[in-house]
Amino acid sequence: MRHLRTVKVSTPNSLTEWYKVKNPLIVTFNFLVIYCCKYLPSLALKRFLLRLTGMRIEDNASVGLGASFDIFFPELITIKENSVIGFNALILCHEFLIKEYRTGETIIGRNVVIGANSTVLAGVEIGDNSIIGACSLVNSDVPSNSFYAGIPAREIKRKQ
């Protein structure tokens, strides 16, 4: 289950009026910071810069090379202590659809590993001590102490 807030729109396509949803200057700032951080080698500097966008990133969280985050609503992302976001992973907090858009808080728990090239959709919570396999699509909550993988991600194993 995803935890999303839905907003109906009267336009033919919700993405055509994204600038009414979020200030373009804020989106531009978020884009520049997030895409600059994709290639920074310093984990401490990445954490510092990503926090400027409103993201909540706790101590010792690591963001791998190429990882990317939602540029519209980064303030809805929480990455808790000692988690690892793998190479080229994508963490989202919004989705623009035809007649509506949705936003939702995306929470990565403590001691979580998000595998390389994985995508976490808006409104998902990944519980503490969980692992998401490489190239997975996380489209629902993941309980603590779990190993999920696949498209869509499904439980492979539960830690005791």
Side-chain angles (χ1 to χ4, degrees):
M1 179 176 158
R2 294 196 293 155
H3 315 279
L4 297 170
R5 181 180 143 254
T6 301
V7 177
K8 301 284 185 192
V9 295
S10 58
T11 60
N13 170 334
S14 68
L15 186 56
T16 61
E17 297 192 359
W18 68 267
Y19 56 90
K20 293 180 180 177
V21 173
K22 196 74 169 195
N23 182 320
L25 293 175
I26 292 171
V27 174
T28 302
F29 174 80
N30 292 341
F31 173 84
L32 292 172
V33 169
I34 289 168
Y35 277 79
C36 177
C37 287
K38 285 179 75 162
Y39 306 107
L40 282 176
S42 169
L43 298 176
L45 183 56
K46 277 187 193 187
R47 279 192 302 272
F48 171 77
L49 291 173
L50 291 171
R51 286 173 181 151
L52 294 177
T53 68
M55 287 178 59
R56 291 176 296 281
I57 302 178
E58 294 184 3
D59 294 338
N60 297 317
S62 299
V63 176
L65 187 67
S68 190
F69 302 93
D70 194 297
I71 64 169
F72 285 95
F73 300 96
E75 68 275 10
L76 296 177
I77 297 173
T78 299
I79 303 172
K80 294 187 178 176
E81 188 172 324
N82 205 41
S83 289
V84 175
I85 309 300
F87 174 83
N88 212 34
L90 175 61
I91 313 294
L92 296 172
C93 294
H94 83 280
E95 47 194 36
F96 284 107
L97 303 170
I98 301 299
K99 293 289 184 184
E100 65 189 27
Y101 69 90
R102 301 176 188 156
T103 60
E105 190 173 359
T106 303
I107 301 169
I108 311 298
R110 287 174 180 73
N111 304 308
V112 169
V113 175
I114 307 290
N117 296 301
S118 292
T119 299
V120 179
L121 296 182
V124 167
E125 183 170 354
I126 299 175
D128 296 344
N129 306 304
S130 291
I131 298 172
I132 305 301
C135 298
S136 294
L137 172 66
V138 183
N139 65 352
S140 62
D141 289 349
V142 173
S144 294
N145 303 307
S146 297
F147 174 47
Y148 271 53
I151 302 174
R154 297 281 183 244
E155 185 174 63
I156 304 300
K157 184 177 180 181
R158 176 87 45 111
K159 297 176 189 176
Q160 299 282 342

